[in-house]
Amino acid sequence: MLKHLALAALVTVPTMGHTQDRNFVRARVTLPVNTIDANSFEVIEDDGAAGTQIWCAAGLYTRKALGQRGGDLYIEVARGPAQTAPGRKGVVFTTEPVAGAFNSVSQGVKRAGQTFSMSHAYALCRSNRAQSVRVRTEDGRLLRR
């Protein structure tokens, strides 16, 4: 009897993990994005989003709302208390160069000055963790890849 229970556990546990991963990938994340000025906007953290999803949202917003495809995106204000949504966390991005700008392979959002090209940020939307990211603009539009 104990042998059969052990065998059932060995067969079931890997399947459960695979199901959880597949459900995570299919989870839809909708991130609010608020305009600060003509060149800056804030991505509001929501739905458990991490750096990859936040960068994706910034790339998506830049392309679909601002109509920009070339150039760089900079973190103007790293993840912290949101400027446009009291009580929330956010990251302020800008299309204008910032002091101390640097390129990184990290998809984190905890350092001001971090820079990705707009196309790289948008391409992150294809990664497993960001493929279902949508952006909700201040006027209620829903942007998706």
Side-chain angles (χ1 to χ4, degrees), residues 18-29 128-133:
H18 178 70
T19 301
Q20 289 171 349
D21 287 344
R22 189 174 42 210
N23 287 339
F24 177 77
V25 169
R26 289 190 178 148
R28 187 160 303 213
V29 176
N128 283 343
R129 295 188 180 263
Q131 67 184 357
S132 294
V133 171

Side-chain angles (χ1 to χ4, degrees), residues 101-122:
F102 65 96
N103 292 315
S104 173
V105 294
S106 166
Q107 295 164 7
V109 290
K110 295 181 180 179
R111 291 185 58 201
Q114 186 169 344
T115 307
F116 277 170
S117 70
M118 290 176 194
S119 59
H120 180 79
Y122 184 73

Side-chain angles (χ1 to χ4, degrees), residues 20-42:
Q20 289 171 349
D21 287 344
R22 189 174 42 210
N23 287 339
F24 177 77
V25 169
R26 289 190 178 148
R28 187 160 303 213
V29 176
T30 302
L31 299 176
V33 176
N34 300 318
T35 303
I36 292 180
D37 61 35
N39 301 311
S40 302
F41 57 91
E42 185 171 38

Side-chain angles (χ1 to χ4, degrees), residues 27-145:
R28 187 160 303 213
V29 176
T30 302
L31 299 176
V33 176
N34 300 318
T35 303
I36 292 180
D37 61 35
N39 301 311
S40 302
F41 57 91
E42 185 171 38
V43 177
I44 305 301
E45 191 176 286
D46 205 2
D47 288 338
T52 303
Q53 291 94 349
I54 292 170
W55 275 105
C56 164
L60 183 61
Y61 182 81
T62 304
R63 182 170 285 199
K64 301 278 183 157
L66 300 180
Q68 295 183 22
R69 291 179 176 263
D72 291 323
L73 271 174
Y74 305 86
I75 294 179
E76 186 172 4
V77 180
R79 181 187 179 273
Q83 296 180 10
T84 62
R88 308 280 298 275
K89 297 284 184 191
V91 179
V92 177
F93 290 91
T94 184
T95 59
E96 293 294 314
V98 297
F102 65 96
N103 292 315
S104 173
V105 294
S106 166
Q107 295 164 7
V109 290
K110 295 181 180 179
R111 291 185 58 201
Q114 186 169 344
T115 307
F116 277 170
S117 70
M118 290 176 194
S119 59
H120 180 79
Y122 184 73
L124 288 174
C125 296
R126 285 192 245 167
S127 79
N128 283 343
R129 295 188 180 263
Q131 67 184 357
S132 294
V133 171
R134 299 183 307 180
V135 165
R136 183 168 310 281
T137 62
E138 291 170 299
D139 61 6
R141 289 183 298 146
L142 201 56
L143 308 176
R144 51 193 99 161
R145 187 165 160 80

